[in-house]
Amino acid sequence: MTDRADRSWAEPLATGVALADAQLRLCWINPSLAELLDIGPRSAVGQSLAVLLHEAEWMALAKRALRETSPLQLRGIDIPSIRGDAGRMDVSMQALPSGDLLLEVHPLAAPANADTPLSATLRGFAHEVKNPLAGLRGAAQLLQRRVDDEQLRSLAGLVIAEADRLTTLANRLLRNDGVAARPEPVNIHEQLERLGELLRAEPSAPVIRHDYDPSLPDIQGHADRLLQLLLNLARNALEAGAHTLVLRTRAEPATRLGDRVARMALRVDVIDDGPGVPASLRNTLFEPLVSGHSDGSGLGLALAREIAREHGGELRYTSRPGETVFSLYLPMGHAHD
């Protein structure tokens, strides 16, 4: 995201996103942030950023962020809405080449009996996508019953399973759950094998290699969300020109995840042989609507990072021509400060 004309990409995000100018006046906020603040997106334009960052030291940090090359974070701050109620949130601030300040607002987990704010845009999308998914699933079932070729039957089964997975995600959005309330044991290798099946079914399938640590235990999480994260990483690599992917798992001791340290973390590496991340994108790669290809939406990596954070994890990368590594870190056991 390099200028204000690019902001339409952030409209459907569940993450709150805002742009402020060099004088720290709001230029634009997306529907999710408008819902969090209980303010109209148009009404917010021109207001001081203090409507979001109401403490003097937070505004001072925002001024500093305009001069920095790397993002600055505010963790666990109380942000009030127009109604006067407040929610605890993490805020990330990143200066853009245009001179504007990009802000991402992540609500922290609410009590089990509290409502979770959810973008009306996402709700509408979830509702609209369910009918085509049902039609897709029905057509795949018919094919599965009518074809004799075992490989074609297997591909139809893959379509059915993916339609079911996406329907589950849509239902959670419509129930205002966001993600499942209760994490379940997830075998990360099963998700990586599933990822391989999906990629091999694509017209220009990449070469996929595996380098697993079979001793790794299950983690607590949401299998469908983690699979979506891995799909986003893999497809981003393929869109960038990669032909070979290596899927690697390792245990990583004493790993910092946000403001905590996990005694042991699960690391999942998606390694590709593409040209590498352009230097111009390296500081903003995970920001919404930042893309290295002309037809890209710039949402895949932003959503992947959002899912990593939902699981208490982190998403990082290293890159050079011929080898880019995106590493997902997920906690095993309890983290400590």
Side-chain angles (χ1 to χ4, degrees), residues 6 39 84 103 117 145 149 157 170-171 199 213 245-246 264 302 307:
D6 295 332
I39 188 173
L103 299 99
R145 287 197 292 264
D149 186 284
N171 285 336
L199 295 176
D213 178 351
L245 296 179
V246 178
M264 190 65 67
I307 294 169

Side-chain angles (χ1 to χ4, degrees), residues 95-116:
L96 297 177
S98 63
D100 291 334
L101 186 66
L102 175 68
L103 299 99
E104 290 183 64
V105 181
H106 299 270
L108 300 181
N113 60 350
D115 291 333
T116 303

Side-chain angles (χ1 to χ4, degrees), residues 81-159:
S81 73
I82 297 298
R83 296 186 305 268
D85 53 348
R88 292 185 64 80
M89 307 183 194
D90 287 347
V91 179
S92 174
M93 297 178 284
Q94 170 75 55
L96 297 177
S98 63
D100 291 334
L101 186 66
L102 175 68
L103 299 99
E104 290 183 64
V105 181
H106 299 270
L108 300 181
N113 60 350
D115 291 333
T116 303
L118 184 66
S119 162
T121 304
L122 271 179
R123 282 180 177 275
F125 174 78
H127 183 269
E128 292 300 321
V129 82
K130 287 182 66 178
N131 285 337
L133 282 173
L136 186 69
R137 190 186 196 282
Q141 283 181 309
L142 286 174
L143 284 173
Q144 194 176 45
R145 287 197 292 264
R146 293 182 181 180
V147 298
D148 297 325
D149 186 284
E150 187 59 34
Q151 185 177 9
L152 292 178
R153 289 170 59 86
S154 177
L155 288 173
L158 196 64
V159 173

